[in-house]
Amino acid sequence: MITTIFSKSRPFNYIMVTLMLILFFFLYQFKNADWLQSLESVGKKAILLGLLIASLFISNFITKKNGLSKDNTYPFLFFFSFLILFPTTLGNSNLIVSNFFILLALRRLISLQSLVTPKEKIFDASMWIFIAALFHFWSILFIGLVFVSIALHVARDYRNWILPYIAFFTTATLCTVFILMYDSSLLDRLLEGVYTSFNFNYFTNKFQNIAISIYAAITALFLFSQIVAFPSKPLVHHNSYKKIILAFFIGFIIYVISPAKNNSILIYTFMPLAVMATSYFEGAKIKWSQEVTAIIVIGLSFLSFFMQL
């Protein structure tokens, strides 16, 4: 039933998943309703919800626009499922904002394959990544994906290799102006995240342990199937899939090295894994196996969310 519904791109699918995200977002937020006492706090929650919804649509847009999925809404569904698998993600404003900018960067990098206005895309993607790093420093590692994209598509023009540095100095200049004029504490908050930690002692909550175990199993299934199916993908899309796989591993590295570690840092892997999940379901030949896998993934995500409330 799930695969039947989401195997087509219908307005109903987008509306249903969006409404479910709104519902689950407020279910999590109402664990602590202090934010209702301030209009400013209510506004911030509304902005976060808007960014989460926008992230869903951007993920779906990237996959459909670049031929990484057929006419379905699997990316929309699975990105939502991974969000509720780790409900703490719904309350982490810095990670939500940072991931939103990373998605904007991925949109530009994957579309670089068309070779239409490559310099603008390289500059935009680099700038989005540097802005994302202001909210979570180690998301700056995605700049590596920019250089890989240049190497794959437009390596011969030396000017393309300089653009990320220009984007860095542009972002640094704007950030410096903002710090000097409005918020001198921004630099201190940024420097707090400029160190690594391999301490995983946060695994003290059994429900968080269950959630990460579920995610590890889901990742193993979809990543393995993506690697196995890679040679059968259309040659024109190979570079795009390479970037998706690399983006996943960069997201995982960010999770491993980030300080103040928690499951929500895995948000950077959600979009790439949603693309891999879409590829798995589109390539599965046996209908009932599609349905069983979808029920298990969605069901475990719902169960994980309510266990962690």
Side-chain angles (χ1 to χ4, degrees):
M1 181 179 177
I2 294 177
T3 54
T4 302
I5 294 173
F6 288 95
S7 61
K8 298 295 182 182
S9 182
R10 305 183 182 94
F12 171 77
N13 296 354
Y14 296 109
I15 295 171
M16 179 173 64
V17 175
T18 301
L19 290 176
M20 285 195 296
L21 176 59
I22 294 171
L23 172 63
F24 280 78
F25 178 82
F26 283 110
L27 283 175
Y28 180 78
Q29 301 304 328
F30 279 119
K31 287 180 62 178
N32 184 350
D34 290 346
W35 55 275
L36 289 172
Q37 300 175 9
S38 166
L39 188 59
E40 181 182 354
S41 297
V42 172
K44 287 180 179 179
K45 295 296 182 184
I47 291 172
L48 288 182
L49 178 59
L51 290 176
L52 285 171
I53 294 172
S55 297
L56 286 179
F57 280 95
I58 292 172
S59 299
N60 201 71
F61 176 83
I62 291 172
T63 54
K64 292 183 68 174
K65 184 70 173 179
N66 296 284
L68 299 178
S69 71
K70 299 176 183 177
D71 189 24
N72 58 58
T73 44
Y74 288 137
F76 208 78
L77 173 66
F78 288 110
F79 193 101
F80 160 74
S81 300
F82 301 146
L83 280 174
I84 65 170
L85 181 63
F86 303 118
T88 53
T89 306
L90 301 176
N92 196 318
S93 57
N94 283 341
L95 285 175
I96 291 173
V97 176
S98 178
N99 185 66
F100 174 75
F101 287 118
I102 292 299
L103 289 176
L104 292 179
L106 288 175
R107 184 180 73 88
R108 299 297 270 171
L109 291 176
I110 294 176
S111 67
L112 191 60
Q113 179 174 292
S114 68
L115 300 181
V116 177
T117 61
K119 290 179 175 57
E120 288 84 347
K121 291 177 180 178
I122 293 168
F123 179 84
D124 289 349
S126 301
M127 196 163 184
W128 290 138
I129 290 168
F130 291 128
I131 293 174
L134 298 176
F135 295 91
H136 187 79
F137 177 76
W138 287 112
S139 61
I140 201 172
L141 293 181
F142 276 98
I143 201 65
L145 190 59
V146 175
F147 289 105
V148 169
S149 299
I150 294 172
L152 289 173
H153 300 292
V154 287
R156 293 183 180 180
D157 189 341
Y158 73 92
R159 291 172 295 182
N160 293 323
W161 296 95
I162 301 173
L163 287 170
Y165 299 100
I166 297 175
F168 172 77
F169 286 113
T170 301
T171 308
T173 301
L174 294 174
C175 184
T176 301
V177 171
F178 180 85
I179 289 172
L180 293 175
M181 294 184 64
Y182 299 104
D183 188 359
S184 59
S185 65
L186 177 61
L187 182 61
D188 294 331
R189 294 200 299 270
L190 180 62
L191 293 175
E192 286 176 1
V194 187
Y195 67 94
T196 59
S197 172
F198 298 93
N199 188 339
F200 289 86
N201 289 340
Y202 81 95
F203 289 119
T204 56
N205 184 306
K206 65 179 180 180
F207 298 123
Q208 289 185 359
N209 294 345
I210 292 172
I212 197 69
S213 299
I214 292 170
Y215 193 67
I218 292 171
T219 297
L221 171 64
F222 294 147
L223 180 59
F224 177 76
S225 66
Q226 179 68 79
I227 294 173
V228 169
F230 179 79
S232 64
K233 297 294 182 182
L235 188 60
V236 69
H237 295 145
H238 276 199
N239 285 336
S240 295
Y241 280 109
K242 288 177 185 177
K243 283 181 272 189
I244 288 295
I245 294 171
L246 179 57
F248 173 83
F249 281 111
I250 292 173
F252 181 72
I253 292 171
I254 292 171
Y255 163 73
V256 171
I257 69 175
S258 290
K261 210 176 305 297
N262 59 77
N263 288 345
S264 58
I265 300 175
L266 286 167
I267 190 173
Y268 298 107
T269 67
F270 292 173
M271 180 270 174
L273 194 60
V275 175
M276 296 181 203
T278 300
S279 179
Y280 170 85
F281 281 93
E282 289 180 347
K285 304 298 182 183
I286 305 174
K287 183 68 177 178
W288 66 264
S289 68
Q290 285 182 315
E291 194 65 40
V292 170
T293 305
I295 291 172
I296 291 174
V297 172
I298 305 303
L300 289 176
S301 296
F302 275 67
L303 180 63
S304 173
F305 177 87
F306 287 107
M307 285 193 305
Q308 295 178 73
L309 273 184

